Amino acid sequence: MSDKGMTTMAVKRINKNKVYSFIYHEGTTSKLQIVQKLQMGLSTVSQNLKILEEEGLLEKNGYFDSTGGRKARAIQIRRTARVSIGIGILKKMVHFVAVDLYGTVIFDSTLDIPYQTSRKYYRQLGQELEGFISGNVLDRSSILGVSIATQGIIAPDGQSVSYGVIMDNIQMKLSDFTEYITYPCRLEHDSKAAAYLELWNHKEIDSAVVFLLNRNMGGSIITNGLVHQGIHMHSGIIEHLCLTHDGPMCYCGSRGCLETYCSANALEQASGMGITPFFQKLRNGDSDCRQIWDSYLEHLAFAMRNLNIMIDGSIIISGYLAPFFLEEDVVTLLNQINSTSPFTLSRDQIILGTQGQYTPAVGAALHYVSEFLQNV
Ligand SMILES: [Zn+2]
């Protein structure tokens, strides 16, 4: 193809993406608004709308109020024209989510399938995924891909787990999954996936530390609006920050890691009950639960204070325990941080995540959505 031909094709692609992105960000718009805001010719806009509609990516719902003359059609993107699937793999269970093009969860499911390094496990996972897809009547051709979040650090090439003590999944490979999953597939460290979700929800964030308060704790560092990976992909593994060198034994082999104080498992162990009953008793004024929770918040604030010294930015409380936090808990954390830190943290710097236990699966799924939006 000639250079001119290539250039014409590139311009066409760019224009199509501009029109789609404009509609996506506006939510609802009209042909005239697109022409005016993008300063694009009417025929170019019409042509691109026609292409996008033929590809099933747009929908026209209703009309704008007339300001004289013909009423303008209201144009939106078809948010379920493509969906991405996220899988969260835990030691004792699996989470499935399907998200639409705005990153909204349209379906979710939790299955009690304990992890094991066997073909039987991967085959069952593939079958359950097919069940999730057909059970929710998802159009197979609309599925962008399946993104798998797991506990464990992923090797830089994305093909395997390089550190996986909790689940004993050091042998986990992407190819184990792709043998039974026929869609595009990728592996993601659950803590990093959580950070992608928080970045998606808070696009203004430049720097932050994410506290993933799951059954096992996780964490990640965001700088310059990106998740910091590190040379060996283990940046932000704040769960192994040492709080007391002679504290409780951590699964990593060291003592007194943040994991042993602030994971959901640690809270369950300290209280001798499940997370939901614990918070019910706590909020009903139980003094033993209060004492355990105060101690939990004290350790969390200590880590937050020290990490904020390193990363001058937001603190994001994410994952399983995040929806259990009340404003009074955030205020307690803030007061404890500010009572010992030379720099004052403001209330708006502490952000509470909203997706609970589905956080890693949703964050992982967003990868394929972002990729689609960039290349449409
Ligand atoms: Zn540890």
Side-chain angles (χ1 to χ4, degrees):
M1 195 182 287
S2 70
D3 282 357
K4 191 162 176 286
M6 286 287 280
T7 314
T8 311
M9 271 184 65
V11 169
K12 276 188 175 171
R13 204 167 51 234
I14 290 166
N15 281 340
K16 183 182 159 197
N17 190 278
K18 266 188 184 169
V19 171
Y20 184 83
S21 296
F22 179 79
I23 304 166
Y24 181 90
H25 288 111
E26 284 293 304
T28 301
T29 187
S30 69
K31 192 192 282 188
L32 192 64
Q33 265 178 1
I34 303 171
V35 170
Q36 285 169 345
K37 293 276 174 63
L38 291 182
Q39 300 195 320
M40 210 180 257
L42 180 63
S43 64
T44 310
V45 171
S46 299
Q47 199 182 12
N48 280 298
L49 288 176
K50 189 165 171 274
I51 296 168
L52 289 166
E53 210 178 344
E54 279 168 5
E55 290 177 5
L57 296 175
L58 296 185
E59 52 189 23
K60 290 176 176 168
N61 276 333
Y63 292 87
F64 282 100
D65 287 341
S66 173
T67 50
R70 251 172 62 189
K71 284 185 176 181
R73 291 294 294 267
I75 303 169
Q76 288 121 20
I77 68 139
R78 200 156 71 81
R79 53 192 306 155
T80 54
R82 299 286 186 279
V83 293
S84 177
I85 292 182
I87 303 182
I89 305 239
L90 294 170
K91 201 171 181 174
K92 293 180 183 165
M93 65 186 81
V94 175
H95 298 306
F96 286 116
V97 297
V99 305
D100 69 14
L101 289 172
Y102 278 109
T104 305
V105 176
I106 48 175
F107 299 110
D108 60 47
S109 170
T110 299
L111 298 169
D112 293 322
I113 308 174
Y115 173 76
Q116 48 179 258
T117 312
S118 72
R119 292 187 75 184
K120 187 171 161 264
Y121 173 82
Y122 293 106
R123 190 184 312 119
Q124 188 184 358
L125 197 74
Q127 286 164 351
E128 295 291 356
L129 173 67
E130 282 303 316
F132 177 74
I133 291 167
S134 55
N136 292 310
V137 205
L138 288 169
D139 176 3
R140 284 181 163 70
S141 65
S142 73
I143 294 170
L144 294 167
V146 177
S147 202
I148 301 154
T150 183
Q151 293 181 311
I153 294 160
I154 310 300
D157 66 3
Q159 296 301 309
S160 59
V161 170
S162 65
Y163 178 88
V165 175
I166 300 170
M167 300 212 329
D168 192 19
N169 59 344
I170 186 83
Q171 295 158 345
M172 185 187 273
K173 291 185 180 58
L174 181 60
S175 56
D176 296 331
F177 293 95
T178 53
E179 196 176 344
Y180 301 102
I181 297 175
T182 51
Y183 305 94
C185 222
R186 59 190 287 282
L187 271 180
E188 185 68 74
H189 181 193
D190 62 352
S191 304
K192 304 270 189 329
Y196 293 133
L197 172 63
E198 302 305 345
L199 266 175
W200 177 277
N201 287 337
H202 304 279
K203 297 201 165 53
E204 73 286 358
I205 286 177
D206 173 84
S207 306
V209 181
V210 180
F211 286 72
L212 180 65
L213 303 180
N214 275 354
R215 285 172 174 82
N216 288 108
M217 227 196 116
S220 7
I221 304 286
I222 294 170
T223 53
N224 296 325
L226 295 170
V227 180
H228 199 276
Q229 302 288 347
I231 303 168
H232 303 102
M233 309 284 282
H234 68 69
S235 274
I237 309 302
I238 60 173
E239 59 269 36
H240 299 297
L241 279 180
C242 182
L243 262 54
T244 43
H245 65 84
D246 54 354
M249 184 60 101
C250 177
Y251 64 81
C252 74
S254 297
R255 285 187 177 276
C257 293
L258 188 55
E259 160 77 23
T260 66
Y261 297 103
C262 292
S263 62
N265 281 349
L267 196 56
E268 282 190 342
Q269 265 171 27
S271 64
M273 64 184 94
I275 293 301
T276 304
F278 170 78
F279 279 99
Q280 273 165 357
K281 285 187 88 172
L282 171 73
R283 303 309 179 196
N284 284 331
D286 183 275
S287 61
D288 289 344
C289 289
R290 182 77 252 170
Q291 216 175 351
I292 292 165
W293 185 235
D294 284 345
S295 164
Y296 178 96
L297 290 178
E298 201 180 309
H299 286 104
L300 193 60
F302 182 78
M304 286 174 171
R305 180 257 184 221
N306 284 345
L307 285 163
N308 187 249
I309 299 281
M310 302 266 298
I311 304 288
D312 172 17
S314 300
I315 284 174
I316 304 176
I317 298 170
S318 178
Y320 181 38
L321 295 186
F324 291 98
F325 275 70
L326 299 182
E327 182 59 24
E328 63 184 55
D329 303 320
V330 178
V331 171
T332 302
L333 287 171
L334 203 58
N335 289 341
Q336 291 190 10
I337 294 165
N338 286 336
S339 68
T340 57
S341 174
F343 307 103
T344 306
L345 197 73
S346 60
R347 171 63 189 88
D348 61 358
Q349 280 178 273
I350 299 189
I351 296 167
L352 280 179
T354 53
Q355 298 288 350
Q357 60 183 346
Y358 290 110
T359 299
V362 179
L366 292 174
H367 170 86
Y368 285 114
V369 177
S370 297
E371 200 178 64
F372 174 77
L373 295 177
Q374 276 166 26
N375 298 311
V376 68

